[in-house]
Amino acid sequence: LLNCNMAATVQLDTNMNLITPTLDGVMRIPGKGLHFNDSKEGSISGAQFHALAEDPEGNIWIGSQNGHINILGAKDKLIAEFYNPQLSWLNFYSILPVGDEIWLGTYNNGIFVLDRHSGKVKGVKTPPSQRIIKMVMSPEGTIHVGTGGGLYTYNKENDSFIFDEGIGDTMVYAICFASDGSLWVGSYRDGLFI
């Protein structure tokens, strides 16, 4: 079914399609895969895809390990490469829409914050561990950041990150919320935290 056996994450879009980035491209299930093809206009650019997220307008943002950001348009279903020279050298692991911003979590360089409409970099957020693996927002708007050195909660009041002592410095690979609102955190070597 998949074009590659390594699926970095899975997301349900507003049309109830499963979308997953893989090392070789991005798959929409059911539907047709979006494959990398340098020579074809409108195809996805980049390689080794880890990050994707749907913005409030239904556009799917897709990030690769080699500095490419692609946007699958909600209305026209076409892929457009989002190019910004400030970002072209980064390794994207997580994308999180936050209002009119897009937070781009990188593997070793913290979180780059974009204006979703202009595409300009508004700033960089640097939690103590800058290896960003996964970012999620609770229904109440609290942002949690899973890193190579533990779980952090973003403190908007003073633009800082609070370390979760209960989880410690384990590498966080997955974060999600259960239907009861509880936070579930999957780690690389220490199991599951609830």
Side-chain angles (χ1 to χ4, degrees):
L1 182 61
L2 292 177
N3 59 349
C4 175
N5 66 0
M6 191 281 196
T9 187
V10 177
Q11 180 167 328
L12 199 60
D13 72 8
T14 53
N15 296 319
M16 303 305 285
N17 294 308
L18 286 175
I19 300 176
T20 182
T22 71
L23 295 179
D24 295 332
V26 177
M27 296 296 295
R28 178 181 283 179
I29 306 164
K32 149 181 166 178
L34 309 171
H35 298 283
F36 169 73
N37 182 344
D38 256 345
S39 61
K40 187 174 178 187
E41 185 177 334
S43 66
I44 195 165
S45 60
Q48 300 185 343
F49 302 94
H50 274 272
L52 91 153
E54 186 172 6
D55 71 20
E57 294 172 358
N59 301 306
I60 306 291
W61 291 69
I62 305 163
S64 75
Q65 285 188 15
N66 62 342
H68 291 268
I69 298 286
N70 296 271
I71 302 170
L72 175 61
K75 294 183 177 115
D76 59 15
K77 302 297 181 207
L78 296 176
I79 296 173
E81 182 176 10
F82 170 83
Y83 180 76
N84 182 320
Q86 288 178 273
L87 307 173
S88 64
W89 56 279
L90 295 168
N91 181 341
F92 300 111
Y93 256 66
S94 187
I95 298 176
L96 181 67
V98 179
D100 285 334
E101 298 175 339
I102 298 291
W103 288 26
L104 302 169
T106 66
Y107 195 65
N108 279 322
N109 299 95
I111 302 165
F112 284 71
V113 179
L114 296 181
D115 179 286
R116 180 165 66 84
H117 304 288
S118 72
K120 293 184 179 172
V121 176
K122 293 173 69 174
V124 179
K125 299 193 180 301
T126 53
S129 175
Q130 293 187 40
R131 182 172 289 173
I132 311 302
I133 307 295
K134 185 71 176 167
M135 299 181 292
V136 298
M137 185 185 308
S138 74
E140 299 78 34
T142 303
I143 297 172
H144 300 279
V145 180
T147 73
L151 179 69
Y152 293 85
T153 301
Y154 179 64
N155 182 338
K156 188 175 184 176
E157 277 68 44
N158 63 9
D159 194 30
S160 66
F161 293 87
I162 301 165
F163 180 67
D164 186 315
E165 298 284 343
I167 291 175
D169 67 353
T170 190
M171 182 179 283
V172 173
Y173 257 74
I175 311 171
C176 67
F177 290 93
S179 59
D180 66 1
S182 60
L183 182 69
W184 290 52
V185 178
S187 73
Y188 176 69
R189 65 178 181 263
D190 297 318
L192 182 65
F193 297 89
I194 302 173

